[in-house]
Amino acid sequence: MRHVFKAQKLGYGDDKTEGVWFDADDYTKEEAEAEFKPYQGVTQKGYDYTGYEYDGERYHHYTYLGEFKDNDMPTSDADLWRRS
């Protein structure tokens, strides 16, 4: 089983979204969420914001999608919605 997150990288465009997962044998949901470390930034226009960093990547935000079996991971937003 894996805890799956959808994370939006900084910037614009659909290519900025990626899936991030954590092995449920090694992490609880809360421990996996804690891996996204908050940081404070400033936009080019001077606005403060809070972003999240994990494994050297910076993200605008992230969303917990749930726990999935290793061989049944969602492959897209449409795939995830079909399961609901």
Side-chain angles (χ1 to χ4, degrees):
M1 298 291 284
R2 298 177 185 186
H3 296 289
V4 179
F5 295 83
K6 178 180 173 181
Q8 178 74 34
K9 291 183 182 180
L10 295 178
Y12 297 98
D14 291 338
D15 63 331
K16 298 293 183 186
T17 302
E18 66 183 17
V20 179
W21 61 267
F22 298 87
D23 192 323
D25 290 337
D26 299 326
Y27 295 87
T28 65
K29 175 190 173 197
E30 293 76 18
E31 290 170 336
E33 283 183 309
E35 290 293 313
F36 290 94
K37 306 293 185 203
Y39 71 90
Q40 299 301 310
V42 178
T43 67
Q44 291 177 347
K45 293 185 178 183
Y47 298 106
D48 294 331
Y49 72 93
T50 299
Y52 302 91
E53 186 170 4
Y54 168 70
D55 197 29
E57 285 288 343
R58 289 192 165 192
Y59 299 100
H60 180 269
H61 66 275
Y62 65 91
T63 304
Y64 182 69
L65 301 180
E67 192 172 340
F68 296 89
K69 292 180 181 179
D70 293 352
N71 63 351
D72 194 31
M73 301 277 284
T75 57
S76 67
D77 284 348
D79 180 26
L80 185 63
W81 288 115
R82 277 194 295 273
R83 297 167 188 235
S84 300

